[in-house]
Amino acid sequence: MKPCSSKPAVIIDDTTLRDGEQSAGVAFTAEEKLAIASGLAAIGVPELEIGIPAMGAEEREVMQAIVGLGLPSRLLAWCRLFEADLQAVQGIGVQMVDLSIPVSDQQIRHKLGRDRDWVSQQVSRLVRDARGMGFEVCLGCEDASRADMDFLLQLAEVATQAGARRLRFADTVGILEPFGVLERLQRLRAGTDLELEMHAHDDFGLATANTLAAVRGGATHINTTVNGLGERAGNAALEECVLGLKHLHGLDTGINSRGVPELSALVARASGRSVGWQKSIVGEGVFTHEAGIHVDGLMKDRRNYQGLDPDELGRQHRLVLGKHSGTHMLVRSYEELGIHLQSWQAPVLLQQVRRMVTSSKRSPGSAELLALYQNLQALALDAIPQVANGSGEDKVCQLPSLVS
């Protein structure tokens, strides 16, 4: 892996406040939007797409409030490539607009009812208008993954001549895979000097992989959302892209990953979309270990079973008892309760624990472990007087099965 540079090699343009909120049923309050914007800026996200002005006065007021925070991040507004949308963004105070228009024949014909020439003319005219209003411009190419690449390159040239600085390649319906993304971005990179931004959707679970491939292919910017929030299956997750680029590609995005868990929790609460237990990077269980062979390896040297250091996120490994735990973990758990198990007790209690978690579908708590131990002690004490008078030998021999 190449060493990470101190200067970000790729710029994150986070769209949690725009595409993230477009997730069905999600609606952030003004206070939540301000908190999320502040949280994103606090961990070092350099660009934020903060809303859609054409939605109305309330949306514009919230966007203005975010601008008023004076965050160190560049702020963008998302607009359709229409005159009315350009008029709506005036006065908000953002530095840049993403002017989005369908570029695939499917959407040009069956969504807009137009043709390629009309799209080219709109790009030329409205990009110039936006530049005349003082905005930096990103040309958002909706459904680029199904567009003709020659036509995309033509639009890139038209946008360049009109004064745009960036082209957003949107895999709007999430149908690409990393090899296809790499090929397309390499071709775009060879054919234009515009900044290139990747916007990936997760319909086949490939949004993060596609985003990393886009960077390898020449993308200078990437769209992300916290927790992968977004339309349908969601977008490329901020946390996955940040740590994936760092550890798999050796590229530093300049993001403080230790602030990610708190931001993830904030977005989960505000969106009403809980994070899955095994969700990569931010899920509660991603640094949790149960299997005996893994626990043993971690206790010897955590690098034995550590692909990502939880310290980077301000987290730590957690070892839990379960069906697949071994006696070492059981002994350790009881030592934490101040109980030192005898050699014959560990296998008996381990069998009890395995049956308990199979039934309850969770790890036992301290009180339950203590109860199991006390029950075992009581049975053992009960067997002693019977052994003394010669009637309890079989009971002592059978003790493990009696408590299992």
PDB file of all heavy atoms in Angstrom, residues 12-32:
ATOM      1  N   ILE A  12     -14.185  14.589  -1.057  1.00  0.00           N
ATOM      2  CA  ILE A  12     -15.519  14.067  -0.754  1.00  0.00           C
ATOM      3  C   ILE A  12     -16.532  15.192  -0.825  1.00  0.00           C
ATOM      4  O   ILE A  12     -16.392  16.226  -0.178  1.00  0.00           O
ATOM      5  CB  ILE A  12     -15.542  13.400   0.628  1.00  0.00           C
ATOM      6  CG1 ILE A  12     -14.736  12.096   0.587  1.00  0.00           C
ATOM      7  CG2 ILE A  12     -16.982  13.124   1.074  1.00  0.00           C
ATOM      8  CD1 ILE A  12     -14.707  11.347   1.888  1.00  0.00           C
ATOM      9  N   ASP A  13     -17.548  14.986  -1.635  1.00  0.00           N
ATOM     10  CA  ASP A  13     -18.701  15.891  -1.724  1.00  0.00           C
ATOM     11  C   ASP A  13     -19.878  15.122  -1.133  1.00  0.00           C
ATOM     12  O   ASP A  13     -20.515  14.335  -1.821  1.00  0.00           O
ATOM     13  CB  ASP A  13     -18.956  16.285  -3.185  1.00  0.00           C
ATOM     14  CG  ASP A  13     -20.225  17.105  -3.367  1.00  0.00           C
ATOM     15  OD1 ASP A  13     -20.805  17.524  -2.359  1.00  0.00           O
ATOM     16  OD2 ASP A  13     -20.639  17.302  -4.530  1.00  0.00           O
ATOM     17  N   ASP A  14     -20.125  15.326   0.145  1.00  0.00           N
ATOM     18  CA  ASP A  14     -21.148  14.527   0.830  1.00  0.00           C
ATOM     19  C   ASP A  14     -22.546  15.057   0.539  1.00  0.00           C
ATOM     20  O   ASP A  14     -22.801  16.261   0.597  1.00  0.00           O
ATOM     21  CB  ASP A  14     -20.911  14.527   2.331  1.00  0.00           C
ATOM     22  CG  ASP A  14     -21.831  13.556   3.038  1.00  0.00           C
ATOM     23  OD1 ASP A  14     -21.479  12.364   3.120  1.00  0.00           O
ATOM     24  OD2 ASP A  14     -22.921  13.976   3.472  1.00  0.00           O
ATOM     25  N   THR A  15     -23.453  14.134   0.238  1.00  0.00           N
ATOM     26  CA  THR A  15     -24.817  14.513  -0.137  1.00  0.00           C
ATOM     27  C   THR A  15     -25.867  13.940   0.814  1.00  0.00           C
ATOM     28  O   THR A  15     -27.010  13.717   0.435  1.00  0.00           O
ATOM     29  CB  THR A  15     -25.098  14.110  -1.602  1.00  0.00           C
ATOM     30  OG1 THR A  15     -26.385  14.602  -1.994  1.00  0.00           O
ATOM     31  CG2 THR A  15     -25.014  12.611  -1.797  1.00  0.00           C
ATOM     32  N   THR A  16     -25.465  13.729   2.077  1.00  0.00           N
ATOM     33  CA  THR A  16     -26.418  13.248   3.081  1.00  0.00           C
ATOM     34  C   THR A  16     -27.630  14.172   3.183  1.00  0.00           C
ATOM     35  O   THR A  16     -28.772  13.717   3.333  1.00  0.00           O
ATOM     36  CB  THR A  16     -25.739  13.148   4.460  1.00  0.00           C
ATOM     37  OG1 THR A  16     -24.625  12.252   4.375  1.00  0.00           O
ATOM     38  CG2 THR A  16     -26.712  12.659   5.513  1.00  0.00           C
ATOM     39  N   LEU A  17     -27.398  15.476   3.109  1.00  0.00           N
ATOM     40  CA  LEU A  17     -28.481  16.447   3.280  1.00  0.00           C
ATOM     41  C   LEU A  17     -29.346  16.615   2.036  1.00  0.00           C
ATOM     42  O   LEU A  17     -30.377  17.287   2.098  1.00  0.00           O
ATOM     43  CB  LEU A  17     -27.891  17.798   3.687  1.00  0.00           C
ATOM     44  CG  LEU A  17     -27.216  17.826   5.053  1.00  0.00           C
ATOM     45  CD1 LEU A  17     -26.509  19.148   5.287  1.00  0.00           C
ATOM     46  CD2 LEU A  17     -28.235  17.558   6.158  1.00  0.00           C
ATOM     47  N   ARG A  18     -28.924  16.010   0.933  1.00  0.00           N
ATOM     48  CA  ARG A  18     -29.737  16.080  -0.292  1.00  0.00           C
ATOM     49  C   ARG A  18     -30.205  14.678  -0.690  1.00  0.00           C
ATOM     50  O   ARG A  18     -31.330  14.298  -0.444  1.00  0.00           O
ATOM     51  CB  ARG A  18     -28.938  16.755  -1.422  1.00  0.00           C
ATOM     52  CG  ARG A  18     -29.825  17.223  -2.588  1.00  0.00           C
ATOM     53  CD  ARG A  18     -30.120  16.149  -3.629  1.00  0.00           C
ATOM     54  NE  ARG A  18     -28.924  15.643  -4.272  1.00  0.00           N
ATOM     55  CZ  ARG A  18     -28.950  14.663  -5.195  1.00  0.00           C
ATOM     56  NH1 ARG A  18     -30.100  14.082  -5.522  1.00  0.00           N
ATOM     57  NH2 ARG A  18     -27.835  14.224  -5.737  1.00  0.00           N
ATOM     58  N   ASP A  19     -29.313  13.875  -1.245  1.00  0.00           N
ATOM     59  CA  ASP A  19     -29.730  12.545  -1.685  1.00  0.00           C
ATOM     60  C   ASP A  19     -30.030  11.642  -0.497  1.00  0.00           C
ATOM     61  O   ASP A  19     -30.891  10.769  -0.570  1.00  0.00           O
ATOM     62  CB  ASP A  19     -28.654  11.916  -2.567  1.00  0.00           C
ATOM     63  CG  ASP A  19     -29.240  10.931  -3.567  1.00  0.00           C
ATOM     64  OD1 ASP A  19     -30.434  10.608  -3.458  1.00  0.00           O
ATOM     65  OD2 ASP A  19     -28.517  10.489  -4.473  1.00  0.00           O
ATOM     66  N   GLY A  20     -29.315  11.850   0.610  1.00  0.00           N
ATOM     67  CA  GLY A  20     -29.612  11.055   1.799  1.00  0.00           C
ATOM     68  C   GLY A  20     -31.036  11.270   2.278  1.00  0.00           C
ATOM     69  O   GLY A  20     -31.746  10.326   2.618  1.00  0.00           O
ATOM     70  N   GLU A  21     -31.462  12.526   2.277  1.00  0.00           N
ATOM     71  CA  GLU A  21     -32.818  12.837   2.725  1.00  0.00           C
ATOM     72  C   GLU A  21     -33.869  12.387   1.720  1.00  0.00           C
ATOM     73  O   GLU A  21     -35.053  12.283   2.070  1.00  0.00           O
ATOM     74  CB  GLU A  21     -32.965  14.339   3.001  1.00  0.00           C
ATOM     75  CG  GLU A  21     -34.225  14.632   3.804  1.00  0.00           C
ATOM     76  CD  GLU A  21     -34.495  16.114   3.972  1.00  0.00           C
ATOM     77  OE1 GLU A  21     -34.079  16.909   3.099  1.00  0.00           O
ATOM     78  OE2 GLU A  21     -35.140  16.487   4.958  1.00  0.00           O
ATOM     79  N   GLN A  22     -33.456  12.119   0.487  1.00  0.00           N
ATOM     80  CA  GLN A  22     -34.410  11.624  -0.508  1.00  0.00           C
ATOM     81  C   GLN A  22     -34.794  10.168  -0.271  1.00  0.00           C
ATOM     82  O   GLN A  22     -35.687   9.646  -0.933  1.00  0.00           O
ATOM     83  CB  GLN A  22     -33.838  11.782  -1.922  1.00  0.00           C
ATOM     84  CG  GLN A  22     -33.850  13.210  -2.416  1.00  0.00           C
ATOM     85  CD  GLN A  22     -33.295  13.371  -3.826  1.00  0.00           C
ATOM     86  OE1 GLN A  22     -32.668  14.370  -4.144  1.00  0.00           O
ATOM     87  NE2 GLN A  22     -33.518  12.385  -4.666  1.00  0.00           N
ATOM     88  N   SER A  23     -34.134   9.514   0.673  1.00  0.00           N
ATOM     89  CA  SER A  23     -34.524   8.157   1.039  1.00  0.00           C
ATOM     90  C   SER A  23     -35.979   8.158   1.487  1.00  0.00           C
ATOM     91  O   SER A  23     -36.416   9.024   2.241  1.00  0.00           O
ATOM     92  CB  SER A  23     -33.627   7.663   2.180  1.00  0.00           C
ATOM     93  OG  SER A  23     -33.964   6.345   2.548  1.00  0.00           O
ATOM     94  N   ALA A  24     -36.747   7.219   0.989  1.00  0.00           N
ATOM     95  CA  ALA A  24     -38.189   7.189   1.252  1.00  0.00           C
ATOM     96  C   ALA A  24     -38.489   7.254   2.741  1.00  0.00           C
ATOM     97  O   ALA A  24     -37.970   6.456   3.534  1.00  0.00           O
ATOM     98  CB  ALA A  24     -38.805   5.932   0.650  1.00  0.00           C
ATOM     99  N   GLY A  25     -39.310   8.206   3.136  1.00  0.00           N
ATOM    100  CA  GLY A  25     -39.729   8.343   4.522  1.00  0.00           C
ATOM    101  C   GLY A  25     -38.815   9.151   5.403  1.00  0.00           C
ATOM    102  O   GLY A  25     -39.106   9.360   6.582  1.00  0.00           O
ATOM    103  N   VAL A  26     -37.704   9.628   4.867  1.00  0.00           N
ATOM    104  CA  VAL A  26     -36.756  10.412   5.664  1.00  0.00           C
ATOM    105  C   VAL A  26     -37.042  11.895   5.498  1.00  0.00           C
ATOM    106  O   VAL A  26     -37.221  12.385   4.379  1.00  0.00           O
ATOM    107  CB  VAL A  26     -35.297  10.121   5.256  1.00  0.00           C
ATOM    108  CG1 VAL A  26     -34.330  11.065   5.971  1.00  0.00           C
ATOM    109  CG2 VAL A  26     -34.951   8.668   5.564  1.00  0.00           C
ATOM    110  N   ALA A  27     -37.105  12.625   6.596  1.00  0.00           N
ATOM    111  CA  ALA A  27     -37.334  14.077   6.562  1.00  0.00           C
ATOM    112  C   ALA A  27     -36.627  14.705   7.755  1.00  0.00           C
ATOM    113  O   ALA A  27     -37.056  14.546   8.890  1.00  0.00           O
ATOM    114  CB  ALA A  27     -38.828  14.391   6.597  1.00  0.00           C
ATOM    115  N   PHE A  28     -35.527  15.385   7.498  1.00  0.00           N
ATOM    116  CA  PHE A  28     -34.778  16.041   8.560  1.00  0.00           C
ATOM    117  C   PHE A  28     -35.453  17.351   8.965  1.00  0.00           C
ATOM    118  O   PHE A  28     -35.971  18.082   8.129  1.00  0.00           O
ATOM    119  CB  PHE A  28     -33.352  16.367   8.103  1.00  0.00           C
ATOM    120  CG  PHE A  28     -32.524  15.175   7.719  1.00  0.00           C
ATOM    121  CD1 PHE A  28     -31.756  15.201   6.567  1.00  0.00           C
ATOM    122  CD2 PHE A  28     -32.490  14.043   8.516  1.00  0.00           C
ATOM    123  CE1 PHE A  28     -30.971  14.118   6.201  1.00  0.00           C
ATOM    124  CE2 PHE A  28     -31.713  12.941   8.164  1.00  0.00           C
ATOM    125  CZ  PHE A  28     -30.950  12.991   7.006  1.00  0.00           C
ATOM    126  N   THR A  29     -35.420  17.656  10.247  1.00  0.00           N
ATOM    127  CA  THR A  29     -35.852  18.976  10.703  1.00  0.00           C
ATOM    128  C   THR A  29     -34.731  19.974  10.410  1.00  0.00           C
ATOM    129  O   THR A  29     -33.587  19.596  10.120  1.00  0.00           O
ATOM    130  CB  THR A  29     -36.135  18.986  12.212  1.00  0.00           C
ATOM    131  OG1 THR A  29     -34.902  18.754  12.919  1.00  0.00           O
ATOM    132  CG2 THR A  29     -37.160  17.924  12.583  1.00  0.00           C
ATOM    133  N   ALA A  30     -35.054  21.261  10.513  1.00  0.00           N
ATOM    134  CA  ALA A  30     -34.038  22.284  10.295  1.00  0.00           C
ATOM    135  C   ALA A  30     -32.885  22.116  11.286  1.00  0.00           C
ATOM    136  O   ALA A  30     -31.701  22.216  10.912  1.00  0.00           O
ATOM    137  CB  ALA A  30     -34.653  23.673  10.440  1.00  0.00           C
ATOM    138  N   GLU A  31     -33.219  21.836  12.537  1.00  0.00           N
ATOM    139  CA  GLU A  31     -32.180  21.668  13.554  1.00  0.00           C
ATOM    140  C   GLU A  31     -31.300  20.470  13.245  1.00  0.00           C
ATOM    141  O   GLU A  31     -30.073  20.513  13.447  1.00  0.00           O
ATOM    142  CB  GLU A  31     -32.819  21.504  14.940  1.00  0.00           C
ATOM    143  CG  GLU A  31     -33.520  22.739  15.478  1.00  0.00           C
ATOM    144  CD  GLU A  31     -34.877  23.025  14.794  1.00  0.00           C
ATOM    145  OE1 GLU A  31     -35.408  22.091  14.125  1.00  0.00           O
ATOM    146  OE2 GLU A  31     -35.367  24.146  14.929  1.00  0.00           O
ATOM    147  N   GLU A  32     -31.905  19.397  12.774  1.00  0.00           N
ATOM    148  CA  GLU A  32     -31.132  18.203  12.427  1.00  0.00           C
ATOM    149  C   GLU A  32     -30.205  18.467  11.244  1.00  0.00           C
ATOM    150  O   GLU A  32     -29.049  18.018  11.229  1.00  0.00           O
ATOM    151  CB  GLU A  32     -32.080  17.042  12.121  1.00  0.00           C
ATOM    152  CG  GLU A  32     -32.761  16.481  13.364  1.00  0.00           C
ATOM    153  CD  GLU A  32     -33.934  15.577  13.053  1.00  0.00           C
ATOM    154  OE1 GLU A  32     -34.453  15.613  11.905  1.00  0.00           O
ATOM    155  OE2 GLU A  32     -34.362  14.836  13.946  1.00  0.00           O
TER     156      GLU A  32
END
